[in-house]
Amino acid sequence: MSTPEEQEKLVNQFVEQFPDIVEEADYDELWGNQLDPKGSYYKESIAKKLATKFLRANRWDLELAKEQLKNTLIWRKEFNPLSAGFREKHDEKFDVLGVITYHSEQTVPNIKLINWNLYGNVKEPRTIFEDLPTFMRWRVGLMEQALQMLNFEDDTNEYMVQIHDYKNVAFLKLDPSVKKGSKSVIEIFTSYYPEVMSRKYFVNVPLILSWVYTLVKTFVPKETSRKFQVLSNSKDVGSSLGDLVPTDYGGKGKKLEDQRFNFNKTGREAVLSDYAAYLLQKQFTEELD
Ligand code: HEM
């Protein structure tokens, strides 16, 4: 384990190399932030925070962190995740599977933003997972929306919480498409979204499916699974996250659907970083030309 001084030195060394990494990947954007200091949207404090996340995920190994960042940028150039989050219209069938809530009044650090995944609402898994690329664009889009609500200049809101609620899981034999779908999401998130989750809760896991937890954990690095907690009672979420969560989850808040952060109504300007807004506008203009 490196000392805070060594860590600071590594962060500075890493940030100094951002221009080279950007050039190699031929892409200059991470989670809506510019990485090249020559750019007019660049912010050093954010660059340092992003560098810290990649270093931490790689146990402070600079070479591994550089490699992961480069691969992330190459993937972003190809996948265009900002478009998935803020430009593309996704099939409404996905709406019941994911909700983002944001409690600005939350005082405990890094639990303001919660990404709820309600895969128990999948009645027929094939209809969701069979067309994996389409599901992936929706799922990555949701992740990008959530990321825009974190603030990498605020140590109390630089991580999100994820809750998997498996209430009403209708099928007790796991469909192969579910295994394939969840594996793909996990791979993408592990590779390209390091250090964005503070905690993960799994609730309403039917006893008969507890083995799935053991299976899925094998796809996930130990650093991630350390943040997992299976809660036998969904009301226990409130004991961990406080009163702001819905009453169904043991809090005193409104129903989950009524707390859903609505990106369309709020207007993307409200949540998008200036750089993300600029890039999306540029994509839009280029398509028109
Ligand atoms: C991850 C779907 C059942 C445990 C995931 C993911 C999907 C998914 C799509 C990818 C991660 C994400 O979207 O953020 C489903 C479906 C299920 C099911 C449709 C219906 C039967 C279960 C059960 C458990 C479980 C019963 C037991 C606790 C996990 C774990 C992860 C995961 C541990 C990894 C979390 C992570 O690293 O982000 N699941 N799952 N799943 N699921 Fe499930």
Side-chain angles (χ1 to χ4, degrees):
M1 196 34 98
S2 39
T3 64
E5 292 73 28
E6 285 165 341
Q7 291 178 356
E8 197 185 333
K9 207 167 133 202
L10 282 167
V11 169
N12 290 332
Q13 280 176 359
F14 191 11
V15 169
E16 270 171 34
Q17 296 179 43
F18 275 11
D20 295 340
I21 299 170
V22 164
E23 196 178 309
E24 271 181 70
D26 189 26
Y27 190 73
D28 183 16
E29 178 271 334
L30 177 66
W31 308 336
N33 302 289
Q34 190 160 35
L35 300 180
D36 187 340
K38 292 189 289 300
S40 42
Y41 293 92
Y42 176 82
K43 269 194 178 169
E44 192 186 35
S45 55
I46 292 187
K48 283 188 174 176
K49 180 50 64 82
L50 298 174
T52 306
K53 286 184 182 288
F54 276 72
L55 279 163
R56 191 164 276 148
N58 287 285
R59 300 213 187 100
W60 298 93
D61 181 319
L62 181 56
E63 288 312 309
L64 290 180
K66 274 164 55 181
E67 191 61 20
Q68 187 178 13
L69 178 59
K70 187 177 90 184
N71 291 336
T72 301
L73 299 187
I74 292 171
W75 174 78
R76 291 186 74 83
K77 182 180 177 193
E78 162 88 19
F79 192 95
N80 197 354
L82 283 179
S83 164
F86 294 97
R87 287 196 59 206
E88 291 158 35
K89 179 105 187 73
H90 301 283
D91 194 315
E92 285 175 5
K93 71 181 177 193
F94 295 123
D95 287 352
V96 294
L97 306 182
V99 174
I100 289 171
T101 59
Y102 185 75
H103 300 130
S104 54
E105 61 275 49
Q106 178 61 261
T107 50
V108 177
N110 291 315
I111 62 172
K112 285 190 173 80
L113 178 59
I114 309 179
N115 177 348
W116 306 76
N117 281 120
L118 312 164
Y119 292 122
N121 286 338
V122 182
K123 291 292 164 269
E124 189 35 79
R126 280 175 201 281
T127 60
I128 298 291
F129 295 105
E130 210 163 47
D131 179 1
L132 195 51
T134 303
F135 170 75
M136 288 304 293
R137 293 210 72 77
W138 167 78
R139 183 65 191 91
V140 166
L142 188 72
M143 180 61 140
E144 291 290 320
Q145 292 179 343
L147 277 167
Q148 285 296 307
M149 302 191 58
L150 294 180
N151 180 353
F152 299 123
E153 291 180 291
D154 173 0
D155 289 347
T156 70
N157 186 31
E158 52 147 326
Y159 288 90
M160 68 182 92
V161 175
Q162 192 183 23
I163 298 182
H164 288 243
D165 184 348
Y166 290 118
K167 190 171 168 193
N168 298 331
V169 165
F171 32 99
L172 295 178
K173 247 180 90 209
L174 216 57
D175 191 279
S177 67
V178 173
K179 189 174 164 194
K180 201 165 156 230
S182 42
K183 208 169 169 193
S184 304
V185 180
I186 292 165
E187 268 164 20
I188 298 263
F189 286 178
T190 306
S191 307
Y192 310 131
Y193 294 92
E195 286 290 316
V196 294
M197 297 286 168
S198 55
R199 316 175 186 185
K200 279 195 196 211
Y201 298 99
F202 298 86
V203 301
N204 292 316
V205 177
L207 209 57
I208 193 166
L209 284 181
S210 350
W211 60 272
V212 179
Y213 184 65
T214 318
L215 169 79
V216 183
K217 255 181 33 173
T218 61
F219 309 153
V220 176
K222 273 223 163 54
E223 289 71 33
T224 308
S225 59
R226 225 178 270 137
K227 297 175 181 172
F228 290 0
Q229 219 181 317
V230 181
L231 301 178
S232 49
N233 184 342
S234 54
K235 301 254 181 203
D236 291 342
V237 173
S239 332
S240 298
L241 298 179
D243 286 346
L244 295 160
V245 298
T247 45
D248 290 356
Y249 292 93
K252 293 186 179 149
K254 288 186 286 188
K255 279 205 312 234
L256 185 57
E257 191 49 45
D258 296 338
Q259 293 197 25
R260 180 192 284 268
F261 190 90
N262 190 329
F263 287 85
N264 297 329
K265 279 205 193 119
T266 311
R268 52 181 65 144
E269 304 76 23
V271 288
L272 274 178
S273 68
D274 290 346
Y275 187 48
Y278 160 77
L279 290 177
L280 286 166
Q281 183 61 44
K282 193 160 155 249
Q283 283 177 22
F284 180 65
T285 321
E286 279 166 6
E287 271 167 31
L288 286 181
D289 287 346

